[in-house]
Amino acid sequence: MAQLIYSTIGSLQEARTIASTLVRERLAACVNLIPKIESIYRWHDKVEGATETILLAKTQDDKAPQAITRIRSLHSYELPDIIQIPITGGLPEYLTYLTEEST
């Protein structure tokens, strides 16, 4: 099964660095970046807001823990938002591509 790893990153440049590292190290086959989202969240008992970039990394089951660890090591946040979502279906040829490119 494939996995989607979702994370929010503080800047587009930082997200690009993380994305290229994941692909270069074959921890993800593909990473999409969605810049300039607005996030509202509670942090240390205060409501905060920030402009962030969404990072969506597609990888294999067995690579997901390594990818999460790598994102964490490159992420500038004290507590980064990193969520793993199972990919339960999709275009079979694309799912094969995900496997081949993150092996």
Side-chain angles (χ1 to χ4, degrees), residues 3-102:
Q3 300 290 319
L4 178 69
I5 299 172
Y6 169 96
S7 186
T8 51
I9 314 294
S11 74
L12 181 56
Q13 185 55 44
E14 181 179 352
R16 283 180 178 145
T17 298
I18 294 170
S20 24
T21 299
L22 292 175
V23 172
R24 189 174 48 256
E25 295 179 2
R26 300 183 83 81
L27 297 174
C30 175
V31 180
N32 303 114
L33 303 177
I34 305 170
K36 296 184 183 176
I37 61 142
E38 185 173 344
S39 297
I40 307 295
Y41 52 93
R42 182 175 300 279
W43 183 246
H44 297 297
D45 290 325
K46 289 177 26 186
V47 174
E48 304 275 346
T51 300
E52 298 179 296
T53 296
I54 293 174
L55 178 144
L56 299 169
K58 288 152 283 189
T59 191
Q60 304 177 60
D61 277 346
D62 63 340
K63 294 285 181 101
Q66 292 171 278
I68 289 169
T69 298
R70 193 66 170 122
I71 293 168
R72 179 66 175 114
S73 75
L74 297 168
H75 209 295
S76 63
Y77 289 178
E78 179 183 343
L79 180 61
D81 167 11
I82 305 172
I83 298 170
Q84 179 178 330
I85 304 163
I87 298 173
T88 59
L91 181 67
E93 297 87 350
Y94 187 77
L95 298 176
T96 298
Y97 158 80
L98 289 181
T99 300
E100 291 172 352
E101 292 304 319
S102 56

